[in-house]
Amino acid sequence: MIKPAPASAAATLTEFRAALRRDRLLFFPVRHHSPACAWHLQEFIRREKPASILIEGPETFDAFIPHLVSSETTPPVAVYAHLVEKVKADAPPADKNTPRRASTKPRRHGSFYPLCDYSPEWIALREGHAIGAKLSFFDLDHPRMVKASQSKEQEDSPRPISLFDESYFHQNDYLQALARQRGCRDFHELWDRLFESAFRAGDTENFIEQVASYCWFARTHTPDSQLEKDGTLVREFHMWNRLQKEQRRLKRRGETRPLLVVTGGFHTPALALGWPRQWNVNMPDFDRRKAEVLEAIVPYSFEQLDALHGYAAGMPSPGYYQRVWQSTEPDTERTHQAVAAKFLTELPRQLRANQTACQLSTADSIAALTQATLLARVRSNPGPMREDLLDAMQSCFVKGELDVEGRLIFDLALELMRGDGVGRVPPDAALHPLVSDFRTQAETLGLALQSSIERELDLEIYRKPRHQAQSLFLHRLDFLEVPFGEFTSGPDLVSGTDLDLQREHWCCRWSPQTEAALIDRSLEGTSIKEACLYRLHRRLAKLSEDRSDLGAPDAALALTLAISLGLFEHLDQFMSAARDRLQTESNFERGVSATTQLHNLQRFRSPTTGDHHSEIKGLANEAYQRACLLMQDIATAPAEKHREVLDALTQLQEIVANDEAGTIDASLFWDTVKTLADGGRAPAMIQGGLIGLLSTRAGHDPDAILDRIYEALLGFDQQGSTAPALLLGLFTVCRELSWQTPELMQRLDTLFNAWGEEEFNQALPHLRLAFAQHTPRETDRVAELLQKLHGSESSIDWYQRDHDESFLQENTALAGRVAAALERDGLSHFLPQ
Amino acid sequence: MVKPPPPSSQKPPAEVQFAAELCALLASDALPKPAGWLLSPTAVKTFILGSGGKPLPGGKNGPDDATIISQKYFGNDVLVERAIVSLLGNRSLLLVGEPGTAKSMLSELLAAAISGDSTLTVQGTAGTTEDQIKYSWNYALLLAEGPGLRSLVPGPVYQGLRDGKIVRFEEITRCQPEIQDALVSILSDKHLIVPEFKDEHRVLQARPGFNIIGSANLRDRGVNEMSSALKRRFNFETVPPIADKDLEMELVRRQTEQLLLDAGVEMKYPPDTLDLLITTFQDLRQGRTEEGASVEKPSTVMSTAEAVAVSYSACLDAHYFGNGKVGGTQVSRQLIGTVFKDDPEDAKKLRHYLNVVAKARSRRGGPWKEFYESRHLLGS
């Protein structure tokens, strides 16, 4: 049994509220990063003057309390904890389906304990320090916390999680229903309306009771099985024991001042009502020798604090709440009014400074502030709060489409409300998790760090898992531009070269610059993998910028990088970015380039692609379909792009030809080619290419192809005959036609003979290009064919013999003078090498 | 303030249709009302979004007649809240979005709940003139008596200003820009000058409660761009199309059956054909198929209203020219005529959709197979 069955929820709620304040024991339930909680807690500590404060957080963090209360520390800062479990190589796999490799890989768990100015935990530390209270963290230590939670144990996550997990509130049925009933969009808005409205207002006792009741309902509507699974019960059991101990200690000392317990409100019911007393909990054991533990205090940023920015913890828009916290207004109404006014004037100003297409005036700011204030009044908020502010911006600032102009404004608004501050830690507390991650991995992989002698590595990436891991490590460092390994040869998915090679060659050399570069990258993440992810995310962000001229190939490249850097847990985002870009790609050549990239990914799968292969296949197929759709427009391509269009057509044909597995619908390509060729609207060069393509299709009718060519050869435009351009296109795609079909040569012969001198000279450049693509052997074959056509029996004499020595000398001298003249004019690059 | 219902009409205005609900809200509304408003902002919101099944005391037949307020607009609740607040402030409200997203219905409901009258309406067209908006003259009286209140024929905006009511301006961007701009001075000064009058009637001051709800299509071709002076006087609210497939299917089914009933056509509508129609509409509207593959969005509007039109004509097609059974062929035939009107690019996009998406789904047989096989209708 986990908790006593309540006779009625209301009765126990009354009991619970009474238990919050007992004989010299005070509970303060909080929401992490809540200015209202922080403000009331500050008042509470100043008034109650507790002898000792217990704060939710791993107990080993006590070591950082001197740093945290130091005047040299400026929030936001975080305590970073990480654990690398060394799993024994001979450990049996969990089940037969798990590959052996996974069980031998060290598992890595990183967590942040972030604190900002308005974190109640921060206030507890600072205010507690000021009144001389004993301060301690009293939660399980980080390694045992990880052990206790089954759900977090499964994966090796490159992105550290926050220790302030709020998923219980987000996913809570009761709170969701409450939010719906109050007309709130989500849990954040509900919280703001109910509690942030009491910032610098109201009675603290009453506030505590309200928060406690709110959390009580969240807690009693969470299934026990979930609490057991994620380790909450074990943690609460530990916290409760520590609480008992501290109470006894204070009693022994005859302390008259109270003990204050500051935890997330979700845990308060269990601690205040003593539920853990009846629990039977297995405390996880942890062997320090089998793991590597690192804990450090690091600077943190508002960007990382923002719940809307991919870090699933804490409040959205931390910069906004920072302003609320720092405001000097005396009450909540004026505070929110002032902060709203500030943002609503700053946003138009920033838009003007950025010189965006969308410009707003002071009148717009005034209208938006009125709108926000009225919205707040209709919603019974004390002043315009965060959601009122955002709604007012939408009503008064966005005059066009929501996803165009609206996005421009909202991106900027959310950025302003996010804030850009970075915290500071005392110099003696700094440590670089990234460097430590590098050292651990290099050591595990047997890449020597002791010397700076260059070492060559020959890696069989498709056969040996260890080599694979080394390759991945080196690729990641390379991507981060950390000087350590140099890729000398091997299959390269990114550039699409040497894809059939089986081995990679690297030259590795450690230098002090290696670690210096890592320290430079330390803001990008706490592990090498995370830093790679951060960089790739930046690329994705660039892709989604409005003005970016990046297209589908860039998105496909980002996906390729994500795969070759082994960021499989996050592949979905890269997939969807690639899909989005494909959807909006309007250029045929770029569409084909992305298709080629994706098909390479699909064909030459990286040894670790594994489960994602079918998704990649689907995406590659989608790209192919898109390319076929875009192909319909090639007839309108400008003249200078014809060459690129032809190359793209050939590439697409290769994809179709190489698709032995039949994963794509080849008929889509061939039907489009045929429709375009039949339409006859394409420029001659592209038309030639299309006919050339048709002649490579299996089972085509050679006579029909010849008919098409003959018909097309008769074409004319303003410049004269289009036959030369047609031939250029034709032979670019399919040179074989020139020597395999004597009829074609005969027809060309007749055509050229019919031309006058001027016509022929005009056609010559194109004809040269058309035939220059032939290899010497192919040229010979064409020549032999023509010779036969003209009925000459003797073999061709390829050499000119009627020149004497003086002729050669004169010409050599002339060539020398030309070379000198070109060199004088700085045009020496005109000369053939 | 609520008018008694007139004799039965084809489509009574919202304040008549929902008179009982308005009475109930009026009776139970204890919150402060803005000057000139029939109901408090909260009650206006309840009128549009419903009371969640809770009966309110007081209906048409006195205080004992408990009335449940029905939900009339389905979609974004916060949007309704923002729209109401926009009307409270200094600016007017412009509902924008694709055709067929219930903008007009929303503006009618707002006007009915705020002013008890949704009939002060200007329907914007290319031929709308300034006197249709402001006022015109009864020329016989004008000649006989000269300009005076008797000879003046008030337009909707004049009436709205005079009586402190909401004026609806539908399809505002269909009007010529200079006609649209006639609103600029009215919206900023909140008065209308009648230069023909020389007496105290020359300036008509707006009574509290006056405001304008405009509606405009952002994607309609051939519209006139709004001047930025006018844009500044409006708060824009984008009304999104219905994203929920089941809800859209239900709405289309209900409306089609109603239309068929009105036309006296009796037929069964197979659910798989309806599913095909709505899936196609949603895929093309979002540019993404149910399976997650991307497709090209056509430039034409794929609204719920268009879906109803296609669905209705497909039924008529099957009834009069087919065997009475609506299938993929009829849908495809009507889709081409009704939705894909003149842009050859759109035909290309629909062909691609048929070749790629419908082809894959045609393996399931049924209407998808017919739909795919009718691709020749598009020509090559």
Side-chain angles (χ1 to χ4, degrees):
Chain A
M1 178 131 115
I2 304 241
K3 60 176 180 268
S8 79
T12 325
L13 176 59
T14 321
E15 219 177 284
F16 167 52
R17 279 157 63 151
L20 290 172
R21 199 184 172 99
R22 275 188 315 216
D23 177 36
R24 287 200 280 275
L25 175 59
L26 306 171
F27 289 92
F28 198 109
V30 300
R31 180 187 177 192
H32 311 296
H33 314 306
S34 151
C37 285
W39 184 79
H40 282 285
L41 179 61
Q42 181 175 302
E43 299 291 299
F44 194 68
I45 294 176
R46 286 179 188 171
R47 197 179 68 209
E48 302 288 342
K49 301 211 171 14
S52 169
I53 306 181
L54 293 175
I55 303 164
E56 181 186 337
E59 53 192 11
T60 47
F61 289 1
D62 279 355
F64 299 105
I65 290 179
H67 292 308
L68 289 172
V69 298
S70 149
S71 59
E72 282 181 290
T73 307
T74 318
V77 293
V79 184
Y80 174 71
H82 104 175
L83 164 74
V84 182
E85 288 180 88
K86 293 174 190 153
V87 184
K88 267 188 270 167
D90 55 359
D95 65 275
K96 280 175 192 146
N97 298 330
T98 320
R100 216 181 121 80
R101 192 159 40 86
S103 69
T104 57
K105 204 167 110 191
R107 273 200 296 257
R108 188 172 179 285
H109 310 269
S111 308
F112 277 116
Y113 183 87
L115 295 166
C116 58
D117 269 322
Y118 51 85
S119 298
E121 294 80 1
W122 175 258
I123 292 297
L125 288 167
R126 288 284 171 131
E127 292 292 326
H129 180 67
I131 58 162
K134 178 174 182 286
L135 302 170
S136 18
F137 290 106
F138 74 132
D139 203 345
L140 269 186
D141 53 59
H142 177 247
R144 280 192 292 171
M145 217 186 255
V146 171
K147 286 261 167 201
S149 124
Q150 295 164 18
S151 55
K152 285 172 200 154
E153 204 186 9
Q154 297 156 352
E155 316 209 351
D156 161 60
S157 67
R159 165 83 70 210
I161 53 163
S162 169
L163 288 175
F164 296 140
D165 184 10
E166 286 199 321
S167 50
Y168 284 130
F169 293 108
H170 293 283
Q171 293 154 10
N172 198 281
D173 293 341
Y174 180 84
L175 295 185
Q176 274 173 8
L178 187 61
R180 261 199 307 280
Q181 201 204 341
R182 297 283 303 236
C184 299
R185 263 152 284 201
D186 55 13
F187 152 74
H188 293 303
E189 187 176 5
L190 180 68
W191 172 270
D192 276 6
R193 273 203 211 172
L194 293 176
F195 298 108
E196 291 310 316
S197 53
F199 176 68
R200 280 187 202 155
D203 170 46
T204 296
E205 294 297 331
N206 188 36
F207 180 83
I208 296 177
E209 286 203 356
Q210 298 287 329
V211 175
S213 312
Y214 178 88
C215 297
W216 164 267
F217 287 114
R219 174 65 184 246
T220 48
H221 285 80
T222 304
D224 294 335
S225 54
Q226 198 183 333
L227 299 175
E228 197 161 358
K229 204 171 152 198
D230 69 7
T232 302
L233 298 186
V234 180
R235 287 174 49 204
E236 285 176 350
F237 186 77
H238 183 81
M239 287 196 269
W240 190 71
N241 279 333
R242 283 283 315 263
L243 167 62
Q244 302 292 307
K245 231 190 203 163
E246 183 64 9
Q247 259 187 312
R248 287 197 293 272
R249 189 187 70 88
L250 290 176
K251 203 169 176 186
R252 275 200 306 276
R253 290 175 56 133
E255 183 58 63
T256 52
R257 290 174 300 158
L259 166 65
L260 172 63
V261 182
V262 179
T263 62
F266 193 78
H267 304 298
T268 314
L271 296 179
L273 291 174
W275 288 345
R277 197 174 310 159
Q278 298 168 34
W279 294 347
N280 188 13
V281 163
N282 287 330
M283 194 52 74
D285 51 340
F286 167 66
D287 188 349
R288 226 160 231 285
R289 286 165 304 176
K290 284 188 196 153
E292 189 194 324
V293 178
L294 177 129
E295 284 172 3
I297 171 169
V298 291
Y300 211 62
S301 67
F302 278 104
E303 187 187 326
Q304 284 166 293
L305 270 176
D306 194 345
L308 296 181
H309 207 55
Y311 300 85
M315 311 268 264
S317 311
Y320 169 81
Y321 293 105
Q322 179 78 13
R323 293 267 182 93
V324 170
W325 177 254
Q326 285 173 340
S327 150
T328 50
E329 301 291 334
D331 61 31
T332 181
E333 188 184 337
R334 271 177 281 183
T335 302
H336 285 111
Q337 196 76 31
V339 173
K342 186 119 196 159
F343 278 107
L344 290 174
T345 44
E346 212 161 279
L347 180 74
R349 197 173 303 170
Q350 195 69 46
L351 278 172
R352 287 196 288 271
N354 293 359
Q355 298 193 331
T356 47
C358 152
Q359 295 288 305
L360 298 168
S361 65
T362 311
D364 291 309
S365 298
I366 296 171
L369 188 58
T370 318
Q371 177 88 355
T373 313
L374 286 171
L375 269 172
R377 205 169 297 159
V378 168
R379 292 168 177 170
S380 324
N381 290 336
M385 307 188 67
R386 184 177 160 271
E387 306 280 351
D388 304 329
L389 197 56
L390 287 169
D391 276 335
M393 287 180 186
Q394 178 169 346
S395 287
C396 300
F397 288 171
V398 184
K399 304 276 176 191
E401 299 220 34
L402 265 186
D403 47 2
V404 184
E405 201 185 315
R407 229 183 80 190
L408 186 87
I409 287 173
F410 274 96
D411 282 353
L412 185 62
L414 291 177
E415 194 184 311
L416 284 177
M417 289 167 85
R418 177 179 306 138
D420 53 4
V422 178
R424 218 176 49 225
V425 297
D428 56 326
L431 198 146
H432 297 286
L434 196 59
V435 177
S436 117
D437 183 47
F438 167 76
R439 287 188 192 159
T440 323
Q441 285 202 47
E443 198 180 321
T444 323
L445 294 170
L447 300 169
L449 298 175
Q450 289 78 17
S451 72
S452 56
I453 299 168
E454 190 167 278
R455 208 180 126 195
E456 285 193 18
L457 288 177
D458 179 18
L459 306 177
E460 291 181 61
I461 47 167
Y462 288 97
R463 284 188 50 215
K464 300 188 176 161
R466 189 179 166 82
H467 284 189
Q468 255 168 39
Q470 287 174 333
S471 155
L472 199 58
F473 180 64
L474 292 170
H475 272 297
R476 285 176 182 170
L477 288 174
D478 193 37
F479 179 64
L480 292 176
E481 298 167 273
V482 172
F484 184 68
E486 193 193 335
F487 183 74
T488 45
S489 80
D492 187 352
L493 270 174
V494 175
S495 67
T497 48
D498 294 333
L499 288 174
D500 41 358
L501 292 185
Q502 301 289 312
R503 287 159 177 261
E504 274 181 7
H505 284 273
W506 290 83
C507 285
C508 300
R509 186 214 295 261
W510 181 90
S511 67
Q513 280 77 32
T514 309
E515 292 202 0
L518 283 164
I519 290 168
D520 277 352
R521 310 284 179 277
S522 61
L523 268 178
E524 295 178 18
T526 50
S527 72
I528 289 169
K529 190 171 178 181
E530 193 197 330
C532 288
L533 192 63
Y534 176 85
R535 285 211 162 183
L536 268 186
H537 270 293
R538 294 263 299 256
R539 277 196 185 213
L540 270 199
K542 246 189 218 140
L543 272 180
S544 58
E545 269 172 25
D546 269 350
R547 277 166 295 176
S548 101
D549 51 355
L550 302 170
D554 306 278
L557 185 66
L559 176 63
T560 311
L561 278 168
I563 287 174
S564 57
L565 296 174
L567 306 172
F568 296 111
E569 300 88 336
H570 302 265
L571 226 45
D572 287 350
Q573 310 166 30
F574 295 98
M575 293 263 192
S576 68
R579 187 165 280 142
D580 285 349
R581 278 285 136 180
L582 268 175
Q583 193 181 3
T584 51
E585 183 56 75
S586 56
N587 178 290
F588 172 61
E589 297 93 281
R590 293 205 296 194
V592 172
S593 154
T595 310
T596 312
Q597 183 82 260
L598 293 170
H599 274 268
N600 280 342
L601 272 186
Q602 187 231 118
R603 283 182 63 209
F604 302 94
R605 56 162 105 177
S606 133
T608 40
T609 321
D611 320 336
H612 299 277
H613 190 243
S614 67
E615 292 167 53
I616 294 168
K617 214 158 83 179
L619 193 62
N621 194 17
E622 229 175 88
Y624 164 74
Q625 290 168 354
R626 179 82 202 170
C628 288
L629 174 72
L630 291 172
M631 191 159 98
Q632 300 180 1
D633 293 328
I634 55 175
T636 55
E640 70 273 14
K641 294 277 179 200
H642 288 175
R643 189 86 213 183
E644 288 163 34
V645 169
L646 281 182
D647 290 344
L649 277 175
T650 329
Q651 272 181 41
L652 200 56
Q653 182 240 12
E654 273 167 24
I655 291 172
V656 175
N658 287 332
D659 176 50
E660 290 124 12
T663 49
I664 56 175
D665 181 3
S667 64
L668 192 61
F669 172 76
W670 289 117
D671 290 351
T672 318
V673 171
K674 190 166 174 300
T675 314
L676 281 168
D678 287 347
R681 278 192 296 271
M685 187 162 154
I686 292 178
Q687 182 71 7
L690 291 169
I691 300 177
L693 282 178
L694 286 177
S695 77
T696 60
R697 189 182 186 178
H700 71 275
D701 173 8
D703 292 335
I705 298 287
L706 281 179
D707 285 344
R708 275 175 191 278
I709 299 176
Y710 298 159
E711 191 190 327
L713 280 173
L714 301 173
F716 264 91
D717 64 8
Q718 294 97 320
Q719 274 90 43
S721 167
T722 53
L726 181 91
L727 291 175
L728 175 53
L730 189 68
F731 292 145
T732 306
V733 173
C734 183
R735 293 195 302 273
E736 307 89 284
L737 273 175
S738 60
W739 72 86
Q740 284 174 351
T741 40
E743 302 92 319
L744 177 63
M745 283 300 120
Q746 192 165 12
R747 182 61 75 107
L748 288 182
D749 199 42
T750 323
L751 181 77
F752 297 159
N753 275 327
W755 282 347
E757 174 91 19
E758 195 187 338
E759 233 174 335
F760 185 75
N761 280 339
Q762 205 174 2
L764 206 52
H766 266 120
L767 288 180
R768 278 217 176 102
L769 273 177
F771 285 96
Q773 302 170 62
H774 290 64
T775 61
R777 172 84 197 108
E778 289 166 357
T779 314
D780 288 359
R781 289 172 79 169
V782 175
E784 276 162 24
L785 201 69
L786 283 172
Q787 191 194 1
K788 254 186 227 149
L789 273 176
H790 285 274
S792 161
E793 286 299 319
S794 60
S795 65
I796 300 171
D797 185 358
W798 296 108
Y799 303 99
Q800 267 186 314
R801 296 169 200 279
D802 50 353
H803 297 304
D804 56 12
E805 201 185 328
S806 64
F807 178 82
L808 184 69
Q809 276 172 353
E810 275 164 34
N811 278 293
T812 314
L814 182 64
R817 284 207 297 284
V818 171
L822 283 175
E823 184 133 21
R824 260 201 316 280
D825 295 343
L827 297 172
S828 50
H829 56 280
F830 276 28
L831 289 169
Q833 291 299 314
Chain B
M1 271 172 100
V2 180
K3 287 190 223 156
S8 69
S9 58
Q10 205 173 29
K11 189 191 171 296
E15 62 272 18
V16 175
Q17 197 185 347
F18 303 111
E21 295 187 9
L22 285 172
C23 281
L25 281 166
L26 205 52
S28 60
D29 190 8
L31 293 164
K33 291 166 196 161
W37 282 38
L38 186 64
L39 297 170
S40 70
T42 311
V44 174
K45 186 177 151 195
T46 313
F47 176 66
I48 294 169
L49 296 173
S51 57
K54 214 167 62 182
L56 297 183
K60 266 194 300 208
N61 309 320
D64 299 333
D65 180 15
T67 308
I68 294 175
I69 311 298
S70 58
Q71 179 161 10
K72 299 165 196 72
Y73 171 75
F74 294 84
N76 198 331
D77 293 9
V78 188
L79 181 147
V80 176
E81 215 169 53
R82 278 197 304 260
I84 296 170
V85 170
S86 288
L87 290 170
L88 274 176
N90 243 337
R91 290 190 175 186
S92 298
L93 173 66
L94 187 68
L95 299 171
V96 294
E98 299 184 355
T101 45
K103 293 186 296 294
S104 302
M105 186 191 80
L106 191 56
S107 96
E108 185 184 341
L109 292 172
L110 283 167
I114 294 172
S115 306
D117 184 357
S118 63
T119 57
L120 295 182
T121 308
V122 183
Q123 184 65 48
T125 66
T128 305
T129 54
E130 208 170 321
D131 49 7
Q132 288 168 357
I133 300 172
K134 293 177 172 173
Y135 58 89
S136 56
W137 299 99
N138 178 333
Y139 286 97
L141 280 172
L142 184 67
L143 290 174
E145 300 175 1
L149 284 183
R150 249 168 65 82
S151 53
L152 182 132
V153 181
V157 170
Y158 188 99
Q159 293 179 54
L161 281 158
R162 185 188 62 198
D163 305 338
K165 285 185 174 176
I166 299 283
V167 178
R168 297 165 55 211
F169 202 136
E170 298 284 298
E171 306 277 7
I172 203 163
T173 46
R174 294 213 145 273
C175 297
Q176 303 296 330
E178 56 272 28
I179 304 296
Q180 295 180 23
D181 280 352
L183 292 177
V184 172
S185 66
I186 295 171
L187 289 181
S188 36
D189 305 336
K190 305 276 176 196
H191 65 225
L192 173 69
I193 295 184
V194 187
E196 290 88 345
F197 290 155
K198 301 295 173 217
D199 53 5
E200 76 273 17
H201 298 304
R202 206 175 89 84
V203 180
L204 176 67
Q205 295 287 354
R207 281 188 46 187
F210 164 75
N211 212 334
I212 290 186
I213 305 176
S215 72
N217 294 328
L218 285 180
R219 260 182 93 182
D220 213 345
R221 266 175 294 168
V223 297
N224 301 297
E225 177 65 21
M226 251 176 136
S227 69
S228 54
L230 190 56
K231 271 188 185 172
R232 275 202 299 277
R233 283 157 179 87
F234 276 107
N235 277 349
F236 282 50
E237 208 51 75
T238 307
V239 186
I242 303 172
D244 184 60
K245 188 177 159 189
D246 291 340
L247 184 62
E248 188 172 14
M249 266 176 65
E250 180 58 25
L251 279 174
V252 171
R253 191 183 57 78
R254 240 193 281 165
Q255 292 197 21
T256 310
E257 283 174 359
Q258 186 59 46
L259 284 169
L260 288 172
L261 199 68
D262 294 348
V265 174
E266 203 175 302
M267 67 185 306
K268 270 185 90 104
Y269 203 151
D272 50 355
T273 306
L274 182 63
D275 185 82
L276 167 121
L277 177 75
I278 301 300
T279 311
T280 306
F281 265 74
Q282 293 226 339
D283 285 354
L284 291 173
R285 184 191 302 151
Q286 289 154 11
R288 172 153 306 187
T289 67
E290 271 186 333
E291 294 86 2
S294 40
V295 289
E296 187 92 352
K297 284 189 203 172
S299 67
T300 187
V301 174
M302 306 296 295
S303 69
T304 310
E306 287 286 4
V308 173
V310 172
S311 150
Y312 177 52
S313 24
C315 287
L316 292 184
D317 184 342
H319 181 74
Y320 289 113
F321 301 111
N323 56 1
K325 200 184 151 289
V326 201
T329 320
Q330 281 79 17
V331 169
S332 138
R333 243 199 313 231
Q334 296 309 322
L335 201 59
I336 294 160
T338 318
V339 182
F340 292 85
K341 289 173 176 128
D342 51 354
D343 189 351
E345 282 297 307
D346 280 358
K348 213 152 77 181
K349 288 165 189 167
L350 182 61
R351 197 179 315 130
H352 183 71
Y353 182 77
L354 283 166
N355 277 335
V356 174
V357 183
K359 188 177 178 181
R361 290 183 188 153
S362 68
R363 291 185 204 117
R364 296 183 214 157
W368 279 106
K369 190 160 178 290
E370 293 170 28
F371 190 50
Y372 171 62
E373 281 165 1
S374 66
R375 66 190 188 286
H376 64 272
L377 293 173
L378 277 168
S380 62

